Amino acid sequence: MTDPLLLILVYAGFLALTLVFRGRVLQGRWWFLLRSFLPNWRFYHRVGAAPVMVVRAGYPDGRWTDWHGSVPRAQRALSQLFHNPANNRLLLDQSLIEHLYADLRDLSDPDALTRLVSYRLTCELARARALSDAPSATQLQFEIRLIPPYGTASADTAVLTSPVLATAARETPSP
């Protein structure tokens, strides 16, 4: 048996053991902030619902657009292999929405929602998305929904529906 084959077998055995013997999950505010420095070895741990943000815009005459804007599809090209700011921005936006969802799960006081940095940044992201689709809109509203994994027939679940926000203001009103 060659050395590379032996290493592959040892690695496969190690992976099989980690599937059987699971360690405890570390949770807490500081572990959550340190996650960007550590690789996520449990990336494919469990398939579950994914949080997405949908936005609608309101016009001065009282009309509202339909909810839209779940997860934009990334465009891929060979020229973007090393420098890809547009897709990196889409990943950043989705990470923000996932961060807000994690904050919502850990939130014990609903009145503290508007003080969360992730909520304020999500309001700005929703404002930018609403104005890009409807530049003359004066109001907006966003929802954080859980999209079920592929192959399931259950409907989207709204986790958070924001109050009606003004498109021009930079302050986030309380719900």
Side-chain angles (χ1 to χ4, degrees):
M1 189 180 309
T2 63
D3 289 337
L5 184 57
L6 178 66
L7 288 174
I8 291 172
L9 288 175
V10 169
Y11 180 68
F14 175 73
L15 288 178
L17 286 174
T18 60
L19 290 174
V20 175
F21 301 106
R22 296 184 186 252
R24 66 182 183 98
V25 177
L26 298 175
Q27 291 183 343
R29 182 103 177 125
W30 292 107
W31 287 110
F32 186 75
L33 294 174
L34 289 174
R35 72 177 192 251
S36 62
F37 296 109
L38 304 171
N40 188 358
W41 298 112
R42 299 179 76 152
F43 184 73
Y44 296 107
H45 168 65
R46 183 179 12 180
V47 176
V52 296
M53 180 177 68
V54 291
V55 179
R56 69 179 184 159
Y59 294 100
D61 61 359
R63 290 180 300 119
W64 285 89
T65 62
D66 292 333
W67 293 101
H68 66 281
S70 57
V71 181
R73 196 75 179 149
Q75 300 296 320
R76 301 182 194 275
L78 188 58
S79 63
Q80 298 173 338
L81 184 61
F82 296 107
H83 182 68
N84 194 352
N87 288 348
N88 286 344
R89 177 58 196 241
L90 292 175
L91 289 172
L92 173 74
D93 294 346
Q94 184 59 32
S95 293
L96 173 63
I97 294 164
E98 291 171 3
H99 191 119
L100 176 62
Y101 176 66
D103 285 347
L104 287 172
R105 285 188 317 204
D106 296 338
L107 193 63
S108 59
D109 180 21
D111 294 332
L113 174 67
T114 56
R115 292 190 302 266
L116 293 175
V117 174
S118 58
Y119 176 77
R120 292 179 182 187
L121 289 172
T122 304
C123 288
E124 291 302 316
L125 175 62
R127 187 171 283 118
R129 284 189 183 175
L131 288 175
S132 70
D133 293 336
S136 62
T138 58
Q139 299 174 336
L140 71 109
Q141 192 173 24
F142 70 91
E143 278 188 352
I144 302 297
R145 295 182 182 174
L146 290 178
I147 302 289
Y150 296 111
T152 58
S154 62
D156 300 349
T157 305
V159 176
L160 169 72
T161 302
S162 76
V164 174
L165 305 171
T167 56
R170 288 293 178 209
E171 289 296 317
T172 308
S174 298

